[in-house]
Amino acid sequence: MPALTPDTIRTATETLSRLTDYLRDTPDPDEALALVEPLLDEYAGLPVQLADVLRALARAVQEHPDTPRSAEADLLIMELRTAAWEQADQHALHYVLDDLRALYDSAPATEPGGGWCR
């Protein structure tokens, strides 16, 4: 695996920005749900991954010998861990996608030109 760099991570965030822009253009719901689904995967989605990253960062900073041993450092590390728990709580968003897909699939099909006439 190639070494991680800030540019590698930036590429991932740029991809998320492109997805956001795409979703703002109101794409077909099936396509939109399919694109977002990997981000909200119950086990490997963004909330779980970000929570893991934040916990790992907190551990790396806390265990590094150059980290100041102070109340301020402890508080900042605790904030990282709290944010990790909050992110992990979002793992259930995949259920929202399932419910949206079911709602969309159960909606009556609309026929072309079947709207209101004036």
Side-chain angles (χ1 to χ4, degrees):
M1 179 160 107
L4 290 175
T5 66
D7 286 338
T8 307
I9 304 305
R10 201 169 290 112
T11 299
T13 59
E14 288 169 0
T15 300
L16 289 174
S17 292
R18 288 179 48 219
L19 175 60
T20 301
D21 291 342
Y22 176 78
L23 293 173
R24 287 183 179 142
D25 288 337
T26 60
D28 176 75
D30 283 334
E31 190 174 331
L33 290 168
L35 289 171
V36 173
E37 188 172 18
L39 293 176
L40 298 179
D41 180 81
E42 180 178 11
Y43 302 107
L46 198 56
V48 174
Q49 294 293 328
L50 185 54
D52 287 347
V53 165
L54 292 171
R55 277 191 289 273
L57 175 60
R59 186 178 320 107
V61 169
Q62 184 177 35
E63 293 176 359
H64 196 277
D66 292 341
T67 299
R69 305 297 175 215
S70 66
E72 182 181 14
D74 290 345
L75 180 61
L76 294 170
I77 291 167
M78 186 184 313
E79 285 187 40
L80 286 173
R81 290 193 171 123
T82 299
W85 278 108
E86 291 170 356
Q87 284 301 311
D89 285 346
Q90 299 302 314
H91 80 281
L93 284 171
H94 73 279
Y95 292 121
V96 174
L97 291 185
D98 293 343
D99 292 346
L100 280 170
R101 185 171 284 113
L103 183 67
Y104 184 72
D105 290 345
S106 69
T110 56
E111 296 180 22
W116 285 84
C117 295
R118 291 185 180 203

